[in-house]
Amino acid sequence: MKIKAQVSMVMNLDKCIGCHTCSITCKNVWTNRAGAEYMYFNNVETKPGIGYPKNWEDQERWKGGWQVEDGELTLRSGSKLTRMLKLFYHPEQPELDDYYEPWTYDYETLISSPRKKHQPVARPRSLITQQRMEIKWGPNWGDDLAGGDDARADVNLKKIGQEIALEFSDIFMKYLPRNCNHCLNPACVAACPSGAIYKREEDGVVLVSQETCRGWRHCVPACPYKKVYYNWKTNKAEKCTFCYPRLENGLPSVCTDTCVGRVRYMGILLYDMDAVCDAAKIPDEKMIYANMLDLVKDPNDPAVIESARKSGVSEMVLKSAQESPVYQIIKRWKLALPLHPEYRTLPMVWYIPPLSPIAKNFEDRVYLPKSEAMRIPVEYLAALFTAGNTRIIVETLQRLLDMRAVMRQKEIGETLPQNLEFEPLEYERMYRLLGIAKYADRVKLPAGLQGKTHEELRELQGSTGYACPGGCC
Amino acid sequence: MRSENSDTGEEIIPKLSILRERDDVVELMLPYFGNDRGEKSMISRAVPVKKIKTCDGVKIVTTVYDLTLANYGIDTGLGGECASSYEDDTPYTPRWQEKFTGVKAEMVIHTAREFADNSLKTHGRTMVIMGGGINHWFHADVIYRTILNLLMMCGCEGRNGGSWAHYVGQEKLRPIEGWARVMTGTDWQGGAKLQNSTSFYYFATDQWRNEEIDTAPLVSPDTTPRYRHPSDYNIMAARLGWLPAYPCFNKSGQKIFDEATAAGFEGIDGIRKFVAQSLKNRTLEFSWEDPDAPENFPRNLFIWRNNLIGSSSKGHDYFLKYLLGTRNSIFAEEESVVKPQEIKWRDESEISGEGGALQGKLDLLVDLDFRMAASALYSDVVLPTATWYEKDDLSSTDMHPFVHPFQAAVDLIWEARSDWDIFRTLAKAVSKVATEAELPVYKDVFAVPIQHDTEGETAQPEGKILDWSKGDCEPVPGRKTMPAIAMIERDYTKLYDKWVALGPAIQKGNGMKGLGWASDDLYEEIRTRNGVVEDKNLISYGMPSLYTAKKACDAVMGLSTTTNGKVAVRAWRDLERKTGLSDLTKLASDRESERFTFEMVAIQPRETITSPTFTGSNQNRRYSPFTVSIEQLVPFRTVTGRQSFYVDHELMFEWGESMSVYKPILDFKPLKNPLGQSKEITLKFLTPHNKWSTHSMYFDSQQMLTLFRGGQTVWLNEKDAESIGVRDNDWCEVYNRNGVVISRAVVSPRLPRGVMFMYHAQDRHINVPGSKISGTRGGTHNTPTRIHMKPTHMIGGYGQLSYGFNYYGTTGNQRDIYVVVRKAQEVDWLED
């Protein structure tokens, strides 16, 4: 056992209203630079939908993530040799049109228009070519099920044989906010020929060294979530940093901080590094989630604490791990699930699957229907979060329903549901964290760059950052 | 509101129903609107009655409860037409509603049971959250009443966690008493002309000339409407003092004053007499009786803090055509189906010449904005103003009882100034010009409608309409049979002097909602806090300064119940006096010593103090409407002092709406003669709020437009789209008699068939090409819409049906609209 610390995030999808505030604040902070216009380190997708970049989940097309060959993990994007052969032509490399061509408008027309027969108008212009352009795709083209056929092209629908569905009468939809998963077994790190991408020792944040990156772009296809981007001006890879300069000050990422729905939780998980590889390569992909839960260790277990200390986890981080809201949600209550565990990267951003809109049928003459009777098909959620294991989805949703039933009982004295998994008090705790938790309860992060002396910190100050074309910053 | 005999103290147990004690059963004929178009009928219901001897002979009476049951067709064992089960297809059963709503009867029953059962178990903690959308249907009032009935019947009103959560707009402006005085200049003198804007724009933009409504098919089957054209009702409303109608008359206030003086009428009473007499003998007319006469045009318009032209203008192209006299896409041959009786009709030839309405009624359009959106594009003058992050201001909203600050986080750029500073600069300029021009003091005579929360609520008792112009009664101004007539002096040379100070009228007291209290000490406190006007040349020398926005905010909060505990306690005390209830001051006495200041709310938004200006208490609890009435027995502000299932106004009877009834949406043809030529489909046109730009603000930002499709979009169902050969992201032309939109199509299964969404506030200055149909640039989301005015929204002088600024009047309903949609054949960017 070798215990390491990982900053982790949970998103409660029941509370996501699809406002995209996370995307905008992230963009304002990180990607409003030349060469990065098309990037959204964080984006929000309407599901069903093909997302951004187009159909990123279709690994038959993109060959992202890991596979198990002869009992060993290999990158789907190929061996080192085949990847080198693809240096100059890489069919799995997404192109600008797979993301979208960023644009602006001729706003000046509105200010300085001469007297005209018709009202002046600002027309779009490409931010890449500076030419007039027709807008044919964008980073959120399928918002709220816009473009029905695009929604139907969602590979998760195909997996469950429902690609034809989506009639108005039985329609469903939900939002999926996405940033880098800061995986325990990151494919991008493994794919980088220059060793420029690394997983930070102290908190597991995955970063691209802007000094070391040589722009080989192997990371882009390797990441099954398509969350590493190529800056076409600086010729370097860029990705979500989990806002590490904020993390180092005990603050959550900007997307978490500004979330209107208070969807996001951040905190420390302690995990067993020695078991990562085995967890990822279990043949049955439906078992990966269970393995991931096993990797996450009890921060109050003396053996875990001892091992953590041995591998350099600081006392502050340990204390944070013990107070971690994400540990409660992920491990203690088993309410949050990894996105596409079958990619075998062991993602560390977890999702509480949504209950609402709640009922599918009016025949369910109860306030809280059974989880199988939800409007969003359980199979669909399973395709997203459990590699198709519907049992886990049903159990997870049932815990959320039980929490509601317990709280309702407390208010109006209805009978408690049979076969509760936890004591009623535990559901109250659940309610407090999911329903009414304040900022400080949703975010528990240690401040300070752990394990560094003041001297070292001073040296680090201002030593890194994104390059700008022309070297302006 | 206590159920007791106020003389003896004896308990009264009111009968809900007289079913058991009935003397007789009578057949009641109720209006029914659920048949196919145009086919109205009455439905027969059996109602239990008591016979009561009165001095006018024997009268039959029944309870509102019994009437309500009869209205809904509930079988009370009396026979007649009623439903024997939910499965009957008789009016108001779950099965019956299915054919109108498409919602399965089983779903309705299920939801209703849960609603009622939950209310029972939680003592009324079932909530309906109602958005603004309902307000935008022609029959908004009936829909509201239907939902309120549901809540009242389940005992949900005035319950925390239950009740009616009203998600609409600005009406809970919390520090209202101070704001109202500063906003209207009534800290100096009365005389603000406050207008319900729907009616104003309906007349100013000549939508009445293009009216598609004939009231005859809409009123109760057993009634002939008093007017066929909705505008006539609004003229009546102006005449009877129900609604404001500015500019008031076809003569200026000064001219009326001069004429009165010349005719020997002296003083305010004389003026009143003169105006009433002149109106009666038609030597004076309301301006709206002839909206296309140049002397009745509105001439100057300031747009401030909204995008009137590009966003809010329901009937956008009518604004362009009549207010601005510019290029528009209205189909010219469309005119009213019926001609108004109370309005002078001027033929097109008469209004198209120089200075005519078709040249644009406005002389000057000024826009305060920080964006070059449509309002700015169409303005004569654009005054660059501050964004939210460049100025100091207050914000308070409906749903939570807090006062928030806006604070300047960054400096203003270029020539921009805050709204406050712009208006102060303008005031100074006007004073300067007025002084130079030696403008004499202007004696303004004008009309003021009968106000909510005044004795005027009893001006026209029993809901009877007595129209003095028809000889039903005499015109008596002032809370009687017509609007009040006021006279004030306006000295434009002193505009600036007054603008920069809190006026002395505050010392005489303040009030709101029919309550009053002393405020001389508050005035002194504001003087100390704000400092004074130091310029000896100003008439406001030595008065509390309002020079900066912050000082104005501090004055507003010092004068308001919700932000000054002392004022709240005084207001509660006055309510105690008025109601005879004791112990109401306890709702605010724990916070009597609190007085909000701008600095305080800048440190942290503050929760407001419980005030009788609002209907709920937030004393150690969350605010919820009506809790004060339910718990403290403060009467509701209605005719009965209680919540009403039944409204007995004559106009309500005329429209068949004394009780909540089903009324279908208006379904006028989009155009008399659809263009044909290519594949077309007719769809219902809705303009709900866009999730990112509720009314206007973000539409033109590059980042926000990138988050969807880069410009205007219309949403439609995939099968509807397929039927006209439209694919996702194709250009579509959307038109009806009101104008033409050209927009990208969003094809989605999320919409039911037969409906089109064009999200609200999609302005026309970004990525909008020209339309072949109109030959000009495509319109906004409000191009296909127009204002429909419903006469029942105009009633005044009768309890809750009385005018209050920003609370009551015709709703700007624009939802009952159909459009024709087709694929755009060609896209021309009209760069010329």
Side-chain angles (χ1 to χ4, degrees):
Chain A
M1 183 161 71
K2 187 183 181 189
I3 297 296
K4 297 295 288 180
Q6 170 72 43
V7 176
S8 175
M9 181 187 281
V10 169
M11 299 197 218
N12 186 352
L13 294 184
D14 256 335
K15 296 170 100 176
C16 179
I17 55 170
C19 68
H20 299 248
T21 304
C22 47
S23 308
I24 292 296
T25 50
C26 173
K27 189 144 203 47
N28 284 344
V29 171
W30 294 107
T31 58
N32 55 358
R33 294 165 286 122
E37 303 96 336
Y38 80 99
M39 298 179 199
Y40 282 84
F41 287 175
N42 182 101
N43 72 305
V44 183
E45 292 166 14
T46 298
K47 288 304 216 176
I50 60 175
Y52 156 88
K54 285 177 191 159
N55 270 315
W56 62 270
E57 289 161 292
D58 184 359
Q59 304 310 343
E60 296 304 316
R61 161 83 183 81
W62 299 112
K63 314 270 188 239
W66 301 91
Q67 60 196 354
V68 182
E69 278 180 330
D70 304 330
E72 290 306 319
L73 284 170
T74 58
L75 288 173
R76 285 188 75 150
S77 56
S79 66
K80 203 160 194 175
L81 180 67
T82 56
R83 278 184 283 130
M84 289 310 276
L85 291 174
K86 288 189 206 164
L87 263 187
F88 301 104
Y89 172 67
H90 198 313
E92 285 96 41
Q93 196 73 251
E95 296 177 4
L96 192 61
D97 285 344
D98 292 311
Y99 298 98
Y100 75 103
E101 184 173 352
W103 67 85
T104 184
Y105 298 89
D106 292 342
Y107 288 111
E108 193 56 32
T109 321
L110 302 174
I111 310 284
S112 53
S113 170
R115 183 174 279 269
K116 278 183 165 187
K117 208 166 141 198
H118 303 283
Q119 185 208 287
V121 69
R123 294 174 62 184
R125 189 173 286 283
S126 167
L127 279 168
I128 309 289
T129 65
Q130 309 303 322
Q131 301 298 308
R132 279 236 186 289
M133 66 174 272
E134 202 178 335
I135 300 165
K136 289 178 176 163
W137 193 256
N140 186 34
W141 200 254
D143 195 74
D144 287 358
L145 299 179
D149 288 338
D150 290 332
R152 281 186 198 94
D154 182 329
V155 293
N156 303 293
L157 281 182
K158 280 199 190 120
K159 272 186 202 161
I160 64 170
Q162 286 207 14
E163 64 270 34
I164 323 289
L166 287 188
E167 288 295 317
F168 178 72
S169 54
D170 55 5
I171 204 153
F172 68 93
M173 143 189 139
K174 67 188 199 60
Y175 300 107
L176 184 70
R178 300 205 301 122
N179 45 262
C180 171
N181 288 298
H182 299 277
C183 307
L184 293 184
N185 184 32
C188 59
V189 173
C192 179
S194 315
I197 310 189
Y198 60 104
K199 192 166 174 67
R200 288 214 307 196
E201 205 36 44
E202 60 270 35
D203 57 10
V205 173
V206 176
L207 295 172
V208 185
S209 161
Q210 296 292 296
E211 284 77 35
T212 321
C213 175
R214 292 289 167 268
W216 294 118
R217 292 197 275 169
H218 284 183
C219 48
V220 178
C223 171
Y225 303 96
K226 292 291 163 286
K227 278 293 174 187
V228 191
Y229 303 86
Y230 179 70
N231 184 316
W232 58 274
K233 283 253 173 167
T234 64
N235 304 319
K236 311 253 185 204
E238 295 185 11
K239 62 178 289 301
C240 158
T241 65
F242 246 2
C243 293
Y244 73 87
R246 291 174 56 90
L247 292 184
E248 289 166 11
N249 289 288
L251 297 169
S253 62
V254 163
C255 54
T256 304
D257 190 289
T258 57
C259 178
V260 174
R262 302 174 182 184
V263 167
R264 300 188 191 223
Y265 297 77
M266 280 185 96
I268 301 288
L269 293 180
L270 299 181
Y271 71 98
D272 181 4
M273 200 180 198
D274 288 342
V276 165
C277 194
D278 285 344
K281 71 181 185 190
I282 185 169
D284 183 0
E285 58 186 20
K286 287 191 170 66
M287 294 301 292
I288 296 172
Y289 164 64
N291 281 2
M292 286 177 74
L293 279 189
D294 283 346
L295 283 179
V296 177
K297 296 299 179 193
D298 180 356
N300 290 308
D301 178 342
V304 170
I305 294 169
E306 198 195 322
S307 167
R309 282 182 179 139
K310 239 184 248 170
S311 54
V313 176
S314 78
E315 292 307 310
M316 278 291 287
V317 174
L318 266 180
K319 184 167 175 286
S320 272
Q322 286 160 357
E323 297 171 345
S324 172
V326 299
Y327 177 82
Q328 303 283 323
I329 296 170
I330 294 166
K331 176 92 178 187
R332 186 183 173 116
W333 300 325
K334 298 195 269 301
L335 293 175
L337 305 166
L339 179 61
H340 291 302
E342 70 276 18
Y343 299 165
R344 298 177 185 273
T345 61
L346 312 184
M348 284 295 115
V349 173
W350 305 64
Y351 295 89
I352 302 178
L355 283 175
S356 38
I358 206 155
K360 186 163 65 178
N361 302 314
F362 44 78
E363 288 87 5
D364 302 307
R365 287 187 176 252
V366 280
Y367 289 93
L368 301 170
K370 289 202 173 65
S371 53
E372 298 90 323
M374 297 289 166
R375 196 168 177 94
I376 303 176
V378 164
E379 294 78 10
Y380 183 75
L381 294 175
L384 281 175
F385 298 117
T386 60
N389 189 336
T390 52
R391 185 183 51 81
I392 295 167
I393 298 290
V394 169
E395 285 170 4
T396 310
L397 295 178
Q398 195 56 51
R399 288 181 198 110
L400 293 167
L401 286 169
D402 286 347
M403 172 187 72
R404 283 160 172 77
V406 169
M407 293 311 293
R408 189 170 167 80
Q409 188 270 344
K410 205 170 133 66
E411 288 290 316
I412 59 171
E414 282 182 343
T415 49
L416 272 178
Q418 303 286 305
N419 311 321
L420 284 177
E421 188 176 347
F422 304 109
E423 288 301 307
L425 189 61
E426 199 65 14
Y427 290 102
E428 265 182 64
R429 286 198 193 109
M430 212 182 271
Y431 157 76
R432 292 188 67 79
L433 194 54
L434 299 187
I436 59 173
K438 301 289 183 226
Y439 189 96
D441 305 317
R442 283 179 280 118
V443 174
K444 294 267 191 207
L445 292 165
L449 201 56
Q450 303 301 319
K452 294 266 195 301
T453 65
H454 283 289
E455 209 55 38
E456 286 169 322
L457 285 174
R458 237 193 315 279
E459 271 171 35
L460 283 171
Q461 218 165 39
S463 66
T464 192
Y466 288 112
C468 275
C472 60
C473 46
Chain B
M1 296 293 287
R2 289 200 193 98
S3 295
E4 64 184 33
N5 183 324
S6 53
D7 295 332
T8 63
E10 206 179 322
E11 194 188 358
I12 295 168
I13 304 167
K15 282 272 176 235
L16 201 54
S17 169
I18 51 162
L19 183 63
R20 289 205 190 120
E21 293 83 2
R22 68 181 181 268
D23 296 332
D24 200 358
V25 174
V26 299
E27 186 193 21
L28 191 65
M29 301 303 285
L30 294 172
Y32 179 61
F33 301 88
N35 292 331
D36 285 344
R37 193 190 318 187
E39 221 183 285
K40 296 187 292 186
S41 67
M42 303 295 281
I43 43 178
S44 155
R45 304 288 205 204
V47 184
V49 295
K50 291 288 280 181
K51 290 181 173 162
I52 306 282
K53 270 187 208 150
T54 74
C55 44
D56 298 327
V58 175
K59 301 259 180 192
I60 59 166
V61 298
T62 188
T63 69
V64 168
Y65 180 79
D66 288 317
L67 274 181
T68 303
L69 292 189
N71 184 36
Y72 286 127
I74 290 160
D75 187 0
T76 49
L78 300 177
E81 289 176 33
C82 56
S84 58
S85 88
Y86 295 151
E87 287 303 315
D88 283 13
D89 183 15
T90 56
Y92 304 115
T93 65
R95 185 61 63 201
W96 166 85
Q97 65 78 40
E98 202 174 298
K99 58 179 172 282
F100 303 108
T101 66
V103 179
K104 293 248 177 299
E106 292 77 7
M107 182 63 103
V108 169
I109 296 165
H110 174 75
T111 309
R113 287 216 168 108
E114 266 193 10
F115 194 98
D117 180 62
N118 184 69
S119 307
L120 201 64
K121 285 177 178 156
T122 61
H123 303 285
R125 288 170 60 188
T126 314
M127 181 183 283
V128 176
I129 301 176
M130 248 191 314
I134 288 180
N135 256 328
H136 296 159
W137 293 100
F138 185 72
H139 291 302
D141 46 351
V142 192
I143 305 173
Y144 259 60
R145 287 173 66 193
T146 304
I147 293 169
L148 290 171
N149 282 3
L150 190 64
L151 291 160
M152 290 194 286
M153 287 187 277
C154 292
C156 305
E157 289 284 40
R159 284 282 296 149
N160 275 84
S163 165
W164 168 57
H166 191 225
Y167 254 78
V168 186
Q170 305 74 12
E171 53 270 48
K172 280 196 175 35
L173 189 152
R174 303 272 171 176
I176 193 167
E177 301 90 350
W179 170 83
R181 299 297 289 268
V182 173
M183 182 272 290
T184 55
T186 45
D187 52 333
W188 285 88
Q189 60 183 16
K193 298 171 179 174
L194 302 173
Q195 175 67 49
N196 66 309
S197 54
T198 302
S199 297
F200 176 81
Y201 287 118
Y202 177 80
F203 287 101
T205 64
D206 277 9
Q207 296 193 36
W208 63 276
R209 287 181 69 91
N210 302 268
E211 184 55 78
E212 55 193 343
I213 292 176
D214 172 1
T215 61
L218 303 177
V219 298
S220 180
D222 61 348
T223 316
T224 310
R226 69 185 60 225
Y227 295 112
R228 299 279 293 276
H229 194 293
S231 65
D232 288 332
Y233 285 89
N234 208 136
I235 301 300
M236 178 174 79
R239 202 160 55 210
L240 305 191
W242 292 359
L243 288 181
Y246 298 114
C248 299
F249 305 115
N250 62 345
K251 291 174 188 168
S252 74
Q254 178 75 48
K255 191 154 188 229
I256 295 169
F257 177 83
D258 293 343
E259 286 181 5
T261 312
F265 290 87
E266 299 276 326
I268 182 64
D269 287 335
I271 301 273
R272 283 178 184 143
K273 219 174 278 172
F274 176 76
V275 170
Q277 178 189 307
S278 308
L279 284 170
K280 193 178 173 189
N281 65 27
R282 304 290 292 162
T283 53
L284 184 66
E285 288 174 19
F286 286 91
S287 65
W288 289 5
E289 292 180 79
D290 189 2
D292 290 339
E295 66 269 26
N296 293 331
F297 290 180
R299 296 287 182 178
N300 304 324
L301 182 61
F302 276 68
I303 302 175
W304 166 52
R305 288 183 144 185
N306 74 49
N307 182 2
L308 173 72
I309 303 298
S311 168
S312 320
S313 53
K314 295 171 184 185
H316 172 77
D317 286 59
Y318 296 97
F319 281 66
L320 299 185
K321 183 172 179 179
Y322 293 98
L323 212 54
L324 303 178
T326 188
R327 200 170 290 274
N328 63 80
S329 61
I330 298 168
F331 283 82
E333 81 277 12
E334 301 290 326
E335 278 193 350
S336 289
V337 285
V338 288
K339 287 263 162 43
Q341 296 171 33
E342 302 279 351
I343 300 183
K344 180 164 180 191
W345 182 273
R346 292 170 185 260
D347 283 332
E348 187 135 339
S349 58
E350 202 182 339
I351 62 170
S352 55
E354 185 63 31
L358 280 171
Q359 302 283 321
K361 292 181 178 179
L362 289 184
D363 292 342
L364 179 67
L365 180 62
V366 181
D367 185 33
L368 279 65
D369 207 339
F370 46 82
R371 306 181 315 140
M372 208 61 193
S375 294
L377 284 176
Y378 284 93
S379 288
D380 299 294
V381 178
V382 181
L383 300 171
T385 192
T387 67
W388 314 277
Y389 311 110
E390 298 167 332
K391 66 179 175 187
D392 300 315
D393 204 343
L394 296 178
S395 159
S396 69
T397 66
D398 222 18
M399 301 308 291
H400 67 177
F402 287 81
V403 178
H404 297 253
F406 285 96
Q407 290 175 89
V410 290
D411 287 339
L412 288 157
I413 48 172
W414 301 306
E415 295 174 300
R417 298 184 193 183
S418 72
D419 309 322
W420 190 256
D421 290 356
I422 287 173
F423 280 114
R424 189 185 60 232
T425 310
L426 282 170
K428 193 164 194 173
V430 169
S431 286
K432 182 164 174 276
V433 173
T435 308
E436 284 165 8
E438 296 175 7
L439 213 61
V441 172
Y442 182 92
K443 301 236 177 23
D444 197 3
V445 175
F446 60 99
V448 181
I450 299 166
Q451 303 287 314
H452 210 287
D453 296 310
T454 67
E455 288 163 23
E457 287 192 4
T458 60
Q460 299 176 7
E462 294 175 36
K464 289 214 166 58
I465 302 173
L466 298 174
D467 187 345
W468 52 264
S469 78
K470 303 283 177 283
D472 299 340
C473 61
E474 282 302 306
V476 185
R479 302 178 179 180
K480 291 289 182 224
T481 62
M482 63 171 279
I485 300 300
M487 208 271 291
I488 62 160
E489 295 185 345
R490 300 188 192 273
D491 184 351
Y492 292 103
T493 64
K494 300 288 182 281
L495 193 66
Y496 175 76
D497 301 31
K498 295 178 178 177
W499 204 95
V500 294
L502 186 64
I506 295 286
Q507 290 165 294
K508 291 178 204 143
N510 202 6
M512 183 59 66
K513 296 262 174 112
L515 306 173
W517 52 83
S519 52
D520 47 344
D521 58 332
L522 309 175
Y523 191 77
E524 287 311 313
E525 190 262 354
I526 294 163
R527 197 200 306 268
T528 311
R529 182 177 299 279
N530 281 10
V532 297
V533 175
E534 293 172 1
D535 185 346
K536 285 188 180 154
N537 297 316
L538 306 184
I539 59 163
S540 52
Y541 171 68
M543 292 178 194
S545 170
L546 298 185
Y547 192 84
T548 64
K550 265 189 199 172
K551 286 181 194 290
C553 292
D554 275 337
V556 162
M557 289 190 288
L559 293 171
S560 299
T561 51
T562 51
T563 47
N564 188 344
K566 203 189 275 185
V567 188
V569 169
R570 284 175 198 177
W572 283 116
R573 193 164 292 134
D574 199 46
L575 189 63
E576 285 178 351
R577 181 187 62 79
K578 274 199 119 154
T579 57
L581 294 165
S582 54
D583 219 18
L584 295 176
T585 50
K586 70 172 181 227
L587 291 166
S589 53
D590 57 334
R591 300 184 67 186
E592 192 170 3
S593 62
E594 285 184 45
R595 191 270 199 231
F596 295 16
T597 62
F598 194 85
E599 295 304 327
M600 272 171 73
V601 296
I603 291 164
Q604 181 189 27
R606 304 283 156 156
E607 185 170 4
T608 56
I609 298 160
T610 297
S611 150
T613 297
F614 300 94
T615 64
S617 161
N618 55 305
Q619 189 181 41
N620 305 316
R621 65 201 278 191
R622 293 279 76 82
Y623 182 89
S624 190
F626 309 126
T627 54
V628 169
S629 289
I630 297 297
E631 293 164 16
Q632 311 295 332
L633 302 178
V634 171
F636 284 87
R637 290 166 184 274
T638 60
V639 172
T640 57
R642 295 169 187 271
Q643 304 174 87
S644 298
F645 289 91
Y646 180 77
V647 182
D648 64 353
H649 196 276
E650 204 177 324
L651 207 57
M652 289 292 191
F653 291 126
E654 180 181 307
W655 285 70
E657 296 175 19
S658 56
M659 285 182 283
S660 153
V661 291
Y662 166 69
K663 288 217 158 176
I665 66 167
L666 307 183
D667 56 355
F668 301 115
K669 276 171 75 173
L671 195 67
K672 254 184 242 159
N673 304 303
L675 302 174
Q677 294 154 8
S678 60
K679 275 196 219 165
E680 294 182 330
I681 188 171
T682 296
L683 299 173
K684 207 177 286 171
F685 184 73
L686 301 176
T687 54
H689 282 155
N690 183 337
K691 68 179 174 183
W692 295 307
S693 58
T694 305
H695 286 119
S696 66
M697 285 311 175
Y698 292 115
F699 183 74
D700 51 5
S701 133
Q702 179 264 340
Q703 223 180 61
M704 298 310 294
L705 284 167
T706 299
L707 261 194
F708 195 43
R709 296 192 168 189
Q712 288 187 342
T713 51
V714 289
W715 288 65
L716 70 167
N717 177 279
E718 327 177 273
K719 292 192 181 110
D720 287 342
E722 201 184 334
S723 74
I724 50 169
V726 164
R727 286 167 310 163
D728 199 41
N729 206 38
D730 277 350
W731 288 106
C732 277
E733 281 172 300
V734 176
Y735 69 92
N736 64 12
R737 65 212 304 272
N738 305 319
V740 187
V741 161
I742 179 160
S743 162
R744 295 285 193 179
V746 175
V747 170
S748 173
R750 186 167 68 94
L751 263 69
R753 292 201 69 170
V755 170
M756 167 167 281
F757 270 14
M758 185 169 185
Y759 280 113
H760 191 72
Q762 301 195 58
D763 207 336
R764 55 188 289 195
H765 62 300
I766 302 277
N767 204 10
V768 175
S771 151
K772 277 282 157 206
I773 300 174
S774 65
T776 189
R777 197 161 307 291
T780 71
H781 67 286
N782 262 330
T783 285
T785 72
R786 55 161 296 136
I787 298 168
H788 287 137
M789 293 209 302
K790 188 173 176 190
T792 56
H793 299 181
M794 302 174 187
I795 300 171
Y798 190 54
Q800 72 268 32
L801 306 176
S802 299
Y803 176 69
F805 171 62
N806 202 25
Y807 276 77
Y808 185 85
T810 44
T811 59
N813 66 77
Q814 82 292 352
R815 284 217 161 172
D816 307 59
I817 292 279
Y818 285 81
V819 288
V820 181
V821 186
R822 66 185 196 178
K823 189 173 167 175
Q825 303 304 317
E826 205 178 310
V827 170
D828 182 348
W829 285 91
L830 299 174
E831 299 280 18
D832 53 328

